[in-house]
């Protein structure tokens, strides 16, 4: 009889205990478990890689610099117990930074920290090409932007040349990368036709015939006869001023004298 009474009391107690447990909300139990898991006294940064002490060992701030080709994307800083508000403090930095100075919100010395790196994103650059069309008297030109973070290449002829920009390591081209085709040679469309003057030929040199015969010397020209000026005969007498009858008289005397001389010359001599 006693054993039956004890067994019944034990079963009743068990049933009441079970009812009490089932009356507690499940969310309250989960919150309690989470609280215990989130803030343990010995909690450390769980961000890879393993947490490490600062350098120097006693400091409130520390400068972190990303290695070449990397950026800092996240950090965790711990100063003491999580229960005392000195537990891990996590920060992220978007696409990443080259350097960052870390510290704990509590203002206390850093006990441990972690840093997470990522590959540095490419630097965005833009390439441009400006074409000046050719003219009748001038060739066309192409001005290319400075090749910083990319290289230029071209193909084709001066009638149709294409230019292409290609990014180098660590850079990313944005916008247009291929330009052309561009004409660079002079154009003939709409150009006035110009008459090209022909140069004047040089004069033909004279050809001198060389003969083996002796040269013929032309006779010397006769010297011109000397001209003797006749002395004028005075036809005017100073006394009378008349000259016509005197002239006639002189002519008559001359004629008669000449006739007499001829006769005398023809007479026979004894």
């Amino acid at each position: 009889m006693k054993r039956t009474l004890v067994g019944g009391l034990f079963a009743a107690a068990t049933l009441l205990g079970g009812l009490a447990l089932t009356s507690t909300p499940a969310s309250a139990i989960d919150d309690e478990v989470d609280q215990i898991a989130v803030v343990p006294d010995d909690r450390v940064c769980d961000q890879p890689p393993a947490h490490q002490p600062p350098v120097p060992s006693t400091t409130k701030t520390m400068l972190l610099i990303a290695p070449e080709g990397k950026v800092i994307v996240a950090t965790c800083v711990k100063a003491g117990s999580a229960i005392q508000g000195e537990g891990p403090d996590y920060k992220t930095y978007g696409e990443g930074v080259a350097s960052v100075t870390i510290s704990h919100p509590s203002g206390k010395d850093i006990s441990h920290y972690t840093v997470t790196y990522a590959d540095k994103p490419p630097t965005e650059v833009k390439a441009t090409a400006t074409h000046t069309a050719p003219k009748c008297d001038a060739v066309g030109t192409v001005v290319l932007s400075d090749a910083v973070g990319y290289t230029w290449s071209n193909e084709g002829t001066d009638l149709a040349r294409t230019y292409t920009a290609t990014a180098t390591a660590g850079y990313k081209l944005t916008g247009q990368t291929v330009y052309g085709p561009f004409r660079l040679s002079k154009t003939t469309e709409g150009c006035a036709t110009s008459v090209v003057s022909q140069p004047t030929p040089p004069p033909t040199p004279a050809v001198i015939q060389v003969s083996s015969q002796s040269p013929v010397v032309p006779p010397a020209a006769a010297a011109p006869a000397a001209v003797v000026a006749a002395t004028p005969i005075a036809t005017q007498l100073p006394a009378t001023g008349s000259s016509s009858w005197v002239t006639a008289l002189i002519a008559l005397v001359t004629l008669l004298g000449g006739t007499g001389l001829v006769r005398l010359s023809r007479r026979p001599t004894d």
Side-chain angles (χ1 to χ4, degrees):
M1 182 66 179
K2 289 182 179 181
R3 289 182 179 179
T4 302
L5 181 58
V6 172
L9 292 175
F10 180 78
T14 302
L15 179 61
L16 291 175
L19 291 174
L21 289 175
T22 55
S23 63
T24 303
S27 59
I29 298 175
D30 293 338
D31 291 342
E32 185 178 355
V33 172
D34 289 342
Q35 187 176 7
I36 295 174
V38 169
V39 286
D41 292 345
D42 58 348
R43 185 180 178 193
V44 295
C45 295
D46 57 2
Q47 184 179 346
H51 67 280
Q52 51 192 324
V55 177
S57 58
T58 303
T59 180
K60 290 181 172 60
T61 62
M62 182 176 178
L63 175 63
L64 302 178
I65 300 176
E68 184 70 23
K70 299 289 185 178
V71 289
I72 299 170
V73 294
T75 58
C76 176
V77 180
K78 183 176 181 294
S81 170
I83 294 178
Q84 297 176 357
E86 302 168 0
D89 177 59
Y90 292 95
K91 284 184 172 61
T92 57
Y93 305 95
E95 294 184 357
V97 293
S99 64
V100 64
T101 299
I102 60 174
S103 62
H104 196 273
S106 66
K108 292 190 175 182
D109 290 344
I110 299 172
S111 62
H112 296 85
Y113 77 96
T114 61
V115 56
T116 302
Y117 302 104
D119 291 335
K120 181 180 179 181
T123 302
E124 292 186 352
V125 291
K126 186 176 182 179
T128 59
T130 304
H131 176 236
T132 300
K135 299 180 180 179
C136 300
D137 57 351
V139 298
T141 59
V142 175
V143 178
L144 303 176
S145 56
D146 295 336
V148 177
Y150 57 93
T151 58
W152 283 108
S153 62
N154 68 83
E155 59 182 358
T157 66
D158 285 348
L159 293 176
R161 189 169 294 279
T162 302
Y163 296 83
T164 303
T166 304
T168 55
Y171 292 87
K172 178 183 178 181
L173 279 167
T174 61
Q176 186 175 349
T177 58
V178 179
Y179 293 85
F182 298 134
R183 175 168 181 157
L184 301 179
S185 58
K186 293 181 181 179
T187 183
T188 57
E189 298 178 0
C191 301
T193 303
S194 59
V195 178
V196 180
S197 59
Q198 297 295 331
T200 303
T204 303
V207 179
I208 302 175
Q209 299 290 341
V210 179
S211 175
S212 60
Q213 299 179 358
S214 300
V216 177
V217 179
V227 178
V228 179
T231 302
I233 300 175
T235 60
Q236 185 175 1
L237 294 179
T240 63
S242 177
S243 62
S244 59
W245 68 269
V246 175
T247 302
L249 179 61
I250 293 174
L252 178 61
V253 172
T254 303
L255 178 61
L256 292 176
T259 303
L261 290 175
V262 170
R263 286 182 178 180
L264 288 176
S265 64
R266 289 182 179 179
R267 289 182 59 185
T269 58
D270 296 334

